[in-house]
Amino acid sequence: MRIDILTGLPDLVRGPLEQSILRRAARNELVDIRVHDLRTYAEGKHRQIDDYPYGGGAGMVLKPEPIFRCLDALQDEPPAIDEMIYLSPDGEQFDQSMANALSLKQRLVLLAGHYKGVDQRVRDERVTREVSIGDYVLSGGELPALVVVDAVVRLIPGVLGDATSALSDAFQDGLLDAPHYTRPATYRGLTVPDVLRSGDHGRIAAWREARRLEKTRQRRPDLLHPEPVRHDMQAGSPDD
Ligand code: ADE
């Protein structure tokens, strides 16, 4: 997979890509992540990438030209771009199923808007998907872009050491995760549940499943009762 990230703050994005799982994925050539500094595509002595909004108002808007130029250059490079994603608090809510779908693509482009946003013409002409990571406003799209990259890259086969570990994540089957423990067995008088040290894999699996259900019921009951209710109503018959 190839991922291109367009930003006015390349250093903010590059740091996290150089750590842990993302770095290993890139070094193992499982993903090719390129960070593009919009300033490189800006013109003039000051290489300005933002300007005041027409009509007035607070904040600056990212200018269209550097973004269009950068995208034109990227489009000439294979593979073909599958999704051109703009990170914005008014986008579609990012979740595990979107991460799963994006992890199957060959090429993603992520545009991190800073300041007040980006010229609407970029969104109208080039963006195929607008994505929000939650109902709160950050200073820019850089951190959201990294959230999307991390959630997607860890799903690429071979990125996580244990082939099954992404599948057992919370949310991957609609339940929250069970508690985890490691050594020592007793710390400051606090003990690890006996069942986890029993070596009985059947009992351990049952215990984990019960904890997952219990935690999901307490914290996210909405995850336990999602679509079927609507489906029954659409079917129109209470006996269905
Ligand atoms: N840019 C600023 N806030 C954001 C959010 N919550 N999601 C995506 N992009 C953003």
Side-chain angles (χ1 to χ4, degrees):
M1 176 188 278
R2 174 163 162 186
I3 302 176
D4 296 278
I5 306 173
L6 280 59
T7 171
L9 296 171
D11 291 341
L12 178 55
V13 176
R14 283 191 188 115
L17 300 177
E18 275 303 311
Q19 303 289 327
S20 183
I21 286 169
L22 291 176
R23 179 170 77 161
R24 204 175 59 217
R27 292 201 170 172
N28 292 340
E29 296 184 10
L30 296 167
V31 65
D32 177 6
I33 306 177
R34 303 189 192 186
V35 179
H36 306 276
D37 184 353
L38 287 173
R39 215 165 277 281
T40 312
Y41 298 87
E43 282 183 330
K45 201 172 79 182
H46 300 292
R47 294 196 171 273
Q48 194 180 338
I49 61 166
D50 59 339
D51 209 337
Y52 295 99
Y54 274 116
M60 304 286 269
V61 176
L62 284 181
K63 290 163 68 60
E65 311 96 301
I67 299 171
F68 272 88
R69 272 191 220 114
C70 181
L71 290 174
D72 285 346
L74 293 182
Q75 242 147 16
D76 291 340
E77 300 169 12
I81 294 169
D82 293 305
E83 292 275 18
M84 162 66 212
I85 297 170
Y86 173 55
L87 286 309
S88 170
D90 56 13
E92 192 186 338
Q93 170 80 50
F94 186 64
D95 62 9
Q96 190 62 50
S97 77
M98 198 192 296
N100 293 348
L102 293 177
S103 76
L104 302 174
K105 307 283 185 190
Q106 271 207 66
R107 176 117 182 250
L108 304 175
V109 176
L110 305 179
L111 171 62
H114 221 72
Y115 315 108
K116 197 66 193 169
V118 59
D119 189 285
Q120 183 63 35
R121 288 166 288 191
V122 173
R123 298 171 76 161
D124 293 342
E125 294 295 315
R126 297 300 181 94
V127 169
T128 61
R129 197 158 192 176
E130 304 195 338
V131 173
S132 164
I133 62 158
D135 286 343
Y136 42 83
V137 180
L138 301 168
S139 318
E142 283 76 13
L143 298 177
L146 288 165
V147 166
V148 171
V149 167
D150 189 285
V152 167
V153 169
R154 63 196 302 287
L155 297 172
I156 297 172
V159 167
L160 296 183
D162 173 356
T164 60
S165 63
L167 290 176
S168 65
D169 281 344
F171 288 109
Q172 211 44 286
D173 59 4
L175 292 182
L176 302 182
D177 213 354
H180 299 284
Y181 295 87
T182 187
R183 287 184 290 183
T186 303
Y187 180 66
R188 299 192 175 193
L190 305 168
T191 55
V192 172
D194 285 339
V195 57
L196 295 179
R197 304 175 61 213
S198 68
D200 181 337
H201 297 295
R203 270 184 66 217
I204 292 170
W207 181 87
R208 285 185 171 146
E209 196 59 20
R211 298 291 78 72
R212 299 184 70 198
L213 267 170
E214 181 180 69
K215 193 193 277 186
T216 309
R217 218 175 271 129
Q218 284 168 357
R219 298 186 180 183
R220 295 293 306 276
D222 56 300
L223 293 177
L224 294 171
H225 313 284
E227 295 303 298
V229 177
R230 243 178 35 212
H231 177 73
D232 290 351
M233 283 165 65
Q234 275 168 356
S237 163
D239 300 334
D240 279 350

